[in-house]
Amino acid sequence: MTTEETAPRPPINWLNLTFLLGTLLIALVGTPWYLVKHGLGWPEAVTFLVLWLFVGVSVTAGYHRLFAHKTYQAAWPVRLFFLVFGAGALENSVLNWSADHRVHHAHVDEERDPYNITKGFWWAHMGWIFFKPEPIPKTVVRDLAEDPLVRWQEKYYVWIGLGVALGIPLVVGLLTGNVLGCLLIGGVLRVVVSHHGTFFINSLCHMVGRRPYSTEHSARDSAIMAVLAFGEGYHNYHHSFPFDYRNGVKVWQFDPAKWTIWTLSRVGLARDLRRAPDAAVLKAKIEVQFERAKERLQKSVHDFREHQEQRLHEAYASLQTALHELISLQRRRPKAQPAGEEEMPHETRLGLTYRALEEAMREWKRTLRQTKRLDAAAA
Ligand SMILES: [Zn+2]
Ligand SMILES: [Zn+2]
């Protein structure tokens, strides 16, 4: 056995390494120094906030959900906005960013995953950017390259990105007489904060948090990360239903990218918003709960274990029956009732199925609670 069998480490990308570590160092040392010496003025604070918001929404609602996953369609002024301010994140052109991201989803936690979390926190966070891996074939993003605006961004990415990230702060600085503050706070610090907002999705959101929708992949839901990254923290849901324009699927979950897309659709600037059907989301959640409850019971030494296992399987079976009935009824369009036939109307069947589902859900929750209680009593 020789070490030649392991994949050779790709060459170092010195430009990326110098840029990422250099900006991080300037932000970490320069910001406290500047704040102590000069205090925080409104020009640099406003530049930071506006750019952070514009770039953040362009990466999440634009780069990620519009381009990489095509969860909806957007009018050209919206695409242009996302391409300009998305470039300002200095996280690559949309074509390269989406190619990496599509491979991440297709091969999550595997060797081919560019930000594979099984290689550790730092690799997934930013280590992977310090190397030059084998380029991903452009066929992965052929559909995106059909858009002339995307091709324009690809061609001038560096200039657009630098123009937004440093050019805008420079102009604001010249107009307000505070070039250093605007470049440091509105420029470098903003770039670093935007960078790590995205990087934490690839690192922490594959390590810390809950997995309510699937345990097949490492992605996790974290409300804290959702607040820091414009709603992208609900990453377990996202990896389970990547075609959904929402990441925070519940109404109350903090997801500004979802709200932006929804608002754009209300004013006619976005359309064809894709959502996973509620029944499919519920089904995924129940599968995870079922597997966890089974595991819990298998470890249990309680006298009622067998009885509880049977109850769990029965509750699961009735829930599955109601869910399948609902999914098939929702798929089927109501047919016109032929004269003389006494078949139950579609709406009535749907209503009855909803009621059966509610009852099955109540029994399911009771069973889960009891399983937990038995487990705690046996412990
Ligand atoms: Zn991920
Ligand atoms: Zn994604």
Side-chain angles (χ1 to χ4, degrees):
M1 173 84 68
T2 65
T3 50
E4 281 160 26
E5 284 171 24
T6 56
R9 179 178 280 193
I12 291 177
N13 187 328
W14 288 105
L15 178 67
N16 283 358
L17 191 139
T18 313
F19 176 69
L20 282 179
L21 295 185
T23 46
L24 182 62
L25 194 69
I26 294 170
L28 286 178
V29 176
T31 309
W33 166 81
Y34 180 86
L35 291 178
V36 168
K37 200 163 166 35
H38 302 281
L40 185 66
W42 68 265
E44 59 267 32
V46 170
T47 313
F48 176 95
L49 265 179
V50 171
L51 281 180
W52 177 69
L53 276 172
F54 281 12
V55 168
V57 86
S58 298
V59 170
T60 53
Y63 266 41
H64 188 211
R65 303 193 201 179
L66 175 65
F67 293 104
H69 290 296
K70 301 185 103 170
T71 65
Y72 66 102
Q73 305 283 321
W76 74 263
V78 176
R79 299 202 311 277
L80 182 64
F81 180 92
F82 289 160
L83 288 167
V84 168
F85 287 98
L90 298 179
E91 294 176 13
N92 225 331
S93 67
V94 80
L95 279 184
N96 288 320
W97 197 102
S98 301
D100 285 335
H101 195 69
R102 285 179 178 183
V103 175
H104 167 62
H105 273 268
H107 300 282
V108 65
D109 307 328
E110 295 170 8
E111 183 61 33
R112 284 165 71 185
D113 176 358
Y115 14 103
N116 180 359
I117 194 66
T118 67
K119 293 185 180 175
F121 173 89
W122 283 109
W123 175 267
H125 190 72
M126 61 197 297
W128 68 280
I129 311 169
F130 297 163
F131 296 92
K132 282 183 189 167
E134 286 284 308
I136 292 167
K138 284 279 180 271
T139 46
V140 173
V141 284
R142 191 165 36 199
D143 55 310
L144 298 182
E146 285 169 13
D147 183 347
L149 286 175
V150 168
R151 293 200 301 275
W152 166 78
Q153 197 232 31
E154 177 72 13
K155 198 167 170 189
Y156 300 107
Y157 159 69
V158 173
W159 295 111
I160 303 167
L162 289 177
V164 170
L166 297 175
I168 292 178
L170 178 66
V171 172
V172 177
L174 288 171
L175 292 175
T176 57
N178 186 6
V179 172
L180 178 66
C182 286
L183 275 179
L184 184 63
I185 309 287
V188 179
L189 180 67
R190 199 284 306 161
V191 168
V192 169
V193 171
S194 296
H195 271 165
H196 292 269
T198 303
F199 298 168
F200 276 127
I201 304 299
N202 300 334
S203 54
L204 277 188
C205 282
H206 280 267
M207 291 179 93
V208 183
R210 294 170 61 247
R211 290 199 279 179
Y213 302 100
S214 174
T215 50
E216 301 286 302
H217 49 73
S218 60
R220 281 146 206 270
D221 276 8
S222 158
I224 297 168
M225 282 313 301
V227 174
L228 296 177
F230 294 83
E232 302 281 50
Y234 300 106
H235 211 50
N236 186 259
Y237 180 82
H238 174 59
H239 269 267
S240 306
F241 301 97
F243 55 87
D244 195 321
Y245 84 94
R246 309 159 301 172
N247 275 16
V249 68
K250 307 255 171 67
V251 179
W252 63 86
Q253 285 177 330
F254 185 82
D255 188 351
K258 166 182 78 175
W259 301 326
T260 304
I261 297 165
W262 183 84
T263 308
L264 288 171
S265 77
R266 303 303 284 184
V267 295
L269 288 169
R271 61 184 166 84
D272 301 338
L273 276 54
R274 295 165 72 201
R275 295 163 60 115
D278 292 347
V281 176
L282 184 60
K283 196 170 181 302
K285 217 170 148 178
I286 284 156
E287 296 289 347
V288 173
Q289 290 172 341
F290 184 48
E291 290 307 319
R292 286 201 180 125
K294 272 196 302 186
E295 269 172 38
R296 201 183 273 265
L297 280 172
Q298 265 161 20
K299 284 187 212 145
S300 167
V301 288
H302 203 277
D303 295 345
F304 296 116
R305 186 183 125 176
E306 270 182 39
H307 169 74
Q308 189 62 17
E309 266 176 348
Q310 196 186 339
R311 190 178 164 188
L312 183 73
H313 278 88
E314 279 168 8
Y316 177 74
S318 17
L319 198 48
Q320 286 294 318
T321 310
L323 262 175
H324 283 140
E325 174 74 0
L326 182 66
I327 291 169
S328 76
L329 276 175
Q330 281 175 337
R331 274 196 200 130
R332 231 180 298 157
R333 296 182 71 81
K335 283 181 271 175
Q337 201 83 359
E341 251 189 53
E342 288 196 6
E343 203 187 309
M344 199 185 286
H346 186 83
E347 288 307 316
T348 314
R349 283 188 69 183
L350 206 56
L352 285 174
T353 311
Y354 269 122
R355 231 172 298 155
L357 183 64
E358 272 171 25
E359 181 45 45
M361 270 307 286
R362 270 196 292 273
E363 173 58 14
W364 179 247
K365 283 181 185 163
R366 272 197 296 268
T367 313
L368 287 183
R369 273 199 303 272
Q370 201 172 20
T371 306
K372 266 188 201 166
R373 271 205 299 270
L374 276 180
D375 195 34

